[in-house]
PDB file of all heavy atoms in Angstrom:
ATOM      1  N   LEU A 703     -11.829  20.030  -1.137  1.00 83.00           N
ATOM      2  CA  LEU A 703     -12.004  18.683  -1.799  1.00 83.00           C
ATOM      3  C   LEU A 703     -13.289  17.993  -1.290  1.00 83.00           C
ATOM      4  O   LEU A 703     -13.877  17.221  -2.006  1.00 83.00           O
ATOM      5  CB  LEU A 703     -10.796  17.726  -1.648  1.00 83.00           C
ATOM      6  CG  LEU A 703      -9.610  18.079  -2.351  1.00 83.00           C
ATOM      7  CD1 LEU A 703      -8.372  17.145  -1.918  1.00 83.00           C
ATOM      8  CD2 LEU A 703      -9.824  17.816  -3.910  1.00 83.00           C
ATOM      9  N   GLN A 704     -13.820  18.529  -0.196  1.00 68.00           N
ATOM     10  CA  GLN A 704     -15.074  18.050   0.354  1.00 68.00           C
ATOM     11  C   GLN A 704     -16.157  18.444  -0.405  1.00 68.00           C
ATOM     12  O   GLN A 704     -17.272  17.882  -0.518  1.00 68.00           O
ATOM     13  CB  GLN A 704     -15.188  18.335   1.778  1.00 68.00           C
ATOM     14  CG  GLN A 704     -14.380  17.688   2.825  1.00 68.00           C
ATOM     15  CD  GLN A 704     -14.720  16.174   2.783  1.00 68.00           C
ATOM     16  OE1 GLN A 704     -15.733  15.691   3.163  1.00 68.00           O
ATOM     17  NE2 GLN A 704     -13.679  15.337   2.384  1.00 68.00           N
ATOM     18  N   THR A 705     -16.073  19.615  -1.266  1.00 67.00           N
ATOM     19  CA  THR A 705     -17.101  20.308  -1.996  1.00 67.00           C
ATOM     20  C   THR A 705     -17.035  19.968  -3.497  1.00 67.00           C
ATOM     21  O   THR A 705     -17.898  20.317  -4.238  1.00 67.00           O
ATOM     22  CB  THR A 705     -17.072  21.768  -1.753  1.00 67.00           C
ATOM     23  OG1 THR A 705     -15.972  22.359  -2.303  1.00 67.00           O
ATOM     24  CG2 THR A 705     -17.151  22.018  -0.240  1.00 67.00           C
ATOM     25  N   ARG A 706     -15.928  19.283  -3.930  1.00 69.00           N
ATOM     26  CA  ARG A 706     -15.661  19.187  -5.314  1.00 69.00           C
ATOM     27  C   ARG A 706     -15.348  17.747  -5.600  1.00 69.00           C
ATOM     28  O   ARG A 706     -14.779  17.080  -4.713  1.00 69.00           O
ATOM     29  CB  ARG A 706     -14.557  19.972  -5.826  1.00 69.00           C
ATOM     30  CG  ARG A 706     -14.868  21.512  -5.748  1.00 69.00           C
ATOM     31  CD  ARG A 706     -15.418  22.115  -6.975  1.00 69.00           C
ATOM     32  NE  ARG A 706     -14.650  21.670  -8.160  1.00 69.00           N
ATOM     33  CZ  ARG A 706     -13.612  22.555  -8.582  1.00 69.00           C
ATOM     34  NH1 ARG A 706     -13.239  23.589  -7.802  1.00 69.00           N
ATOM     35  NH2 ARG A 706     -13.007  22.219  -9.625  1.00 69.00           N
ATOM     36  N   GLU A 707     -15.664  17.180  -6.776  1.00 64.00           N
ATOM     37  CA  GLU A 707     -15.239  15.899  -7.161  1.00 64.00           C
ATOM     38  C   GLU A 707     -13.703  15.660  -7.368  1.00 64.00           C
ATOM     39  O   GLU A 707     -13.138  14.885  -6.659  1.00 64.00           O
ATOM     40  CB  GLU A 707     -15.904  15.379  -8.410  1.00 64.00           C
ATOM     41  CG  GLU A 707     -17.419  15.213  -8.187  1.00 64.00           C
ATOM     42  CD  GLU A 707     -18.163  14.805  -9.537  1.00 64.00           C
ATOM     43  OE1 GLU A 707     -17.495  14.508 -10.530  1.00 64.00           O
ATOM     44  OE2 GLU A 707     -19.407  14.769  -9.541  1.00 64.00           O
ATOM     45  N   VAL A 708     -13.209  16.513  -8.212  1.00 82.00           N
ATOM     46  CA  VAL A 708     -11.711  16.555  -8.404  1.00 82.00           C
ATOM     47  C   VAL A 708     -11.364  18.018  -8.645  1.00 82.00           C
ATOM     48  O   VAL A 708     -11.972  18.864  -9.235  1.00 82.00           O
ATOM     49  CB  VAL A 708     -11.344  15.771  -9.742  1.00 82.00           C
ATOM     50  CG1 VAL A 708      -9.845  15.866  -9.923  1.00 82.00           C
ATOM     51  CG2 VAL A 708     -11.809  14.291  -9.553  1.00 82.00           C
ATOM     52  N   VAL A 709     -10.190  18.314  -7.991  1.00 89.00           N
ATOM     53  CA  VAL A 709      -9.657  19.687  -8.098  1.00 89.00           C
ATOM     54  C   VAL A 709      -8.223  19.537  -8.659  1.00 89.00           C
ATOM     55  O   VAL A 709      -7.543  18.661  -8.264  1.00 89.00           O
ATOM     56  CB  VAL A 709      -9.617  20.476  -6.794  1.00 89.00           C
ATOM     57  CG1 VAL A 709      -8.999  21.861  -6.853  1.00 89.00           C
ATOM     58  CG2 VAL A 709     -11.012  20.474  -6.146  1.00 89.00           C
ATOM     59  N   SER A 710      -7.969  20.344  -9.625  1.00 92.00           N
ATOM     60  CA  SER A 710      -6.691  20.258 -10.407  1.00 92.00           C
ATOM     61  C   SER A 710      -5.626  21.035  -9.532  1.00 92.00           C
ATOM     62  O   SER A 710      -5.849  21.853  -8.795  1.00 92.00           O
ATOM     63  CB  SER A 710      -6.820  20.902 -11.857  1.00 92.00           C
ATOM     64  OG  SER A 710      -6.861  22.281 -11.675  1.00 92.00           O
ATOM     65  N   VAL A 711      -4.390  20.556  -9.955  1.00 94.00           N
ATOM     66  CA  VAL A 711      -3.233  21.233  -9.265  1.00 94.00           C
ATOM     67  C   VAL A 711      -3.184  22.788  -9.644  1.00 94.00           C
ATOM     68  O   VAL A 711      -2.850  23.600  -8.744  1.00 94.00           O
ATOM     69  CB  VAL A 711      -1.923  20.503  -9.695  1.00 94.00           C
ATOM     70  CG1 VAL A 711      -0.625  21.331  -9.345  1.00 94.00           C
ATOM     71  CG2 VAL A 711      -1.817  19.168  -9.105  1.00 94.00           C
ATOM     72  N   ASN A 712      -3.449  23.037 -10.960  1.00 94.00           N
ATOM     73  CA  ASN A 712      -3.406  24.435 -11.406  1.00 94.00           C
ATOM     74  C   ASN A 712      -4.561  25.210 -10.639  1.00 94.00           C
ATOM     75  O   ASN A 712      -4.166  26.374 -10.343  1.00 94.00           O
ATOM     76  CB  ASN A 712      -3.672  24.377 -12.875  1.00 94.00           C
ATOM     77  CG  ASN A 712      -2.444  23.982 -13.623  1.00 94.00           C
ATOM     78  OD1 ASN A 712      -1.420  23.995 -13.163  1.00 94.00           O
ATOM     79  ND2 ASN A 712      -2.695  23.494 -14.801  1.00 94.00           N
ATOM     80  N   GLU A 713      -5.619  24.635 -10.347  1.00 93.00           N
ATOM     81  CA  GLU A 713      -6.675  25.362  -9.558  1.00 93.00           C
ATOM     82  C   GLU A 713      -6.131  25.717  -8.205  1.00 93.00           C
ATOM     83  O   GLU A 713      -6.445  26.838  -7.708  1.00 93.00           O
ATOM     84  CB  GLU A 713      -7.960  24.567  -9.467  1.00 93.00           C
ATOM     85  CG  GLU A 713      -8.739  24.651 -10.823  1.00 93.00           C
ATOM     86  CD  GLU A 713      -9.993  23.723 -10.720  1.00 93.00           C
ATOM     87  OE1 GLU A 713      -9.872  22.546 -10.478  1.00 93.00           O
ATOM     88  OE2 GLU A 713     -11.118  24.269 -10.750  1.00 93.00           O
ATOM     89  N   PHE A 714      -5.498  24.787  -7.573  1.00 95.00           N
ATOM     90  CA  PHE A 714      -4.962  24.945  -6.263  1.00 95.00           C
ATOM     91  C   PHE A 714      -3.867  26.157  -6.211  1.00 95.00           C
ATOM     92  O   PHE A 714      -3.771  26.984  -5.358  1.00 95.00           O
ATOM     93  CB  PHE A 714      -4.369  23.701  -5.634  1.00 95.00           C
ATOM     94  CG  PHE A 714      -5.368  22.707  -5.099  1.00 95.00           C
ATOM     95  CD1 PHE A 714      -5.373  21.396  -5.430  1.00 95.00           C
ATOM     96  CD2 PHE A 714      -6.384  23.168  -4.160  1.00 95.00           C
ATOM     97  CE1 PHE A 714      -6.290  20.484  -4.895  1.00 95.00           C
ATOM     98  CE2 PHE A 714      -7.410  22.349  -3.654  1.00 95.00           C
ATOM     99  CZ  PHE A 714      -7.295  21.002  -3.965  1.00 95.00           C
ATOM    100  N   CYS A 715      -3.043  25.979  -7.211  1.00 95.00           N
ATOM    101  CA  CYS A 715      -2.060  27.021  -7.426  1.00 95.00           C
ATOM    102  C   CYS A 715      -2.502  28.446  -7.533  1.00 95.00           C
ATOM    103  O   CYS A 715      -2.159  29.369  -6.936  1.00 95.00           O
ATOM    104  CB  CYS A 715      -1.114  26.769  -8.625  1.00 95.00           C
ATOM    105  SG  CYS A 715      -0.078  25.251  -8.536  1.00 95.00           S
ATOM    106  N   SER A 716      -3.640  28.580  -8.409  1.00 94.00           N
ATOM    107  CA  SER A 716      -4.281  29.820  -8.530  1.00 94.00           C
ATOM    108  C   SER A 716      -4.980  30.290  -7.293  1.00 94.00           C
ATOM    109  O   SER A 716      -4.847  31.484  -6.942  1.00 94.00           O
ATOM    110  CB  SER A 716      -5.187  29.808  -9.641  1.00 94.00           C
ATOM    111  OG  SER A 716      -5.989  30.898  -9.886  1.00 94.00           O
ATOM    112  N   HIS A 717      -5.621  29.439  -6.595  1.00 94.00           N
ATOM    113  CA  HIS A 717      -6.359  29.761  -5.421  1.00 94.00           C
ATOM    114  C   HIS A 717      -5.378  30.208  -4.342  1.00 94.00           C
ATOM    115  O   HIS A 717      -5.762  31.213  -3.678  1.00 94.00           O
ATOM    116  CB  HIS A 717      -7.146  28.524  -4.900  1.00 94.00           C
ATOM    117  CG  HIS A 717      -7.877  28.735  -3.630  1.00 94.00           C
ATOM    118  ND1 HIS A 717      -9.151  29.400  -3.656  1.00 94.00           N
ATOM    119  CD2 HIS A 717      -7.580  28.493  -2.318  1.00 94.00           C
ATOM    120  CE1 HIS A 717      -9.578  29.497  -2.450  1.00 94.00           C
ATOM    121  NE2 HIS A 717      -8.723  28.934  -1.620  1.00 94.00           N
ATOM    122  N   PHE A 718      -4.263  29.570  -4.110  1.00 94.00           N
ATOM    123  CA  PHE A 718      -3.371  29.868  -3.052  1.00 94.00           C
ATOM    124  C   PHE A 718      -2.229  30.880  -3.298  1.00 94.00           C
ATOM    125  O   PHE A 718      -1.519  31.279  -2.606  1.00 94.00           O
ATOM    126  CB  PHE A 718      -2.714  28.605  -2.428  1.00 94.00           C
ATOM    127  CG  PHE A 718      -3.819  27.719  -1.660  1.00 94.00           C
ATOM    128  CD1 PHE A 718      -4.173  26.541  -2.284  1.00 94.00           C
ATOM    129  CD2 PHE A 718      -4.295  28.189  -0.499  1.00 94.00           C
ATOM    130  CE1 PHE A 718      -5.094  25.754  -1.565  1.00 94.00           C
ATOM    131  CE2 PHE A 718      -5.169  27.284   0.189  1.00 94.00           C
ATOM    132  CZ  PHE A 718      -5.695  26.089  -0.382  1.00 94.00           C
ATOM    133  N   GLY A 719      -2.046  31.042  -4.745  1.00 94.00           N
ATOM    134  CA  GLY A 719      -0.891  31.821  -5.193  1.00 94.00           C
ATOM    135  C   GLY A 719       0.346  31.055  -4.903  1.00 94.00           C
ATOM    136  O   GLY A 719       1.386  31.676  -4.549  1.00 94.00           O
ATOM    137  N   ALA A 720       0.283  29.827  -5.033  1.00 94.00           N
ATOM    138  CA  ALA A 720       1.498  28.913  -4.753  1.00 94.00           C
ATOM    139  C   ALA A 720       2.028  28.237  -5.882  1.00 94.00           C
ATOM    140  O   ALA A 720       1.290  28.124  -6.958  1.00 94.00           O
ATOM    141  CB  ALA A 720       1.081  27.919  -3.667  1.00 94.00           C
ATOM    142  N   SER A 721       3.290  27.856  -5.823  1.00 95.00           N
ATOM    143  CA  SER A 721       3.918  27.142  -7.009  1.00 95.00           C
ATOM    144  C   SER A 721       3.352  25.632  -7.131  1.00 95.00           C
ATOM    145  O   SER A 721       2.788  25.104  -6.141  1.00 95.00           O
ATOM    146  CB  SER A 721       5.398  27.064  -6.840  1.00 95.00           C
ATOM    147  OG  SER A 721       5.782  26.252  -5.715  1.00 95.00           O
ATOM    148  N   ILE A 722       3.576  25.051  -8.247  1.00 95.00           N
ATOM    149  CA  ILE A 722       3.120  23.610  -8.452  1.00 95.00           C
ATOM    150  C   ILE A 722       4.000  22.792  -7.419  1.00 95.00           C
ATOM    151  O   ILE A 722       3.296  21.882  -6.891  1.00 95.00           O
ATOM    152  CB  ILE A 722       3.554  23.298  -9.916  1.00 95.00           C
ATOM    153  CG1 ILE A 722       2.535  23.955 -10.970  1.00 95.00           C
ATOM    154  CG2 ILE A 722       3.488  21.808 -10.117  1.00 95.00           C
ATOM    155  CD1 ILE A 722       2.776  23.663 -12.332  1.00 95.00           C
ATOM    156  N   ALA A 723       5.223  23.060  -7.286  1.00 94.00           N
ATOM    157  CA  ALA A 723       5.919  22.278  -6.394  1.00 94.00           C
ATOM    158  C   ALA A 723       5.506  22.350  -4.999  1.00 94.00           C
ATOM    159  O   ALA A 723       5.296  21.200  -4.230  1.00 94.00           O
ATOM    160  CB  ALA A 723       7.408  22.696  -6.319  1.00 94.00           C
TER     161      ALA A 723
END
Side-chain angles (χ1 to χ4, degrees):
L703 287 173
Q704 290 294 298
T705 65
R706 296 272 302 277
E707 290 181 9
V708 177
V709 180
S710 71
V711 171
N712 288 336
E713 285 178 298
F714 282 132
C715 289
S716 177
H717 179 79
F718 292 107
S721 68
I722 288 178

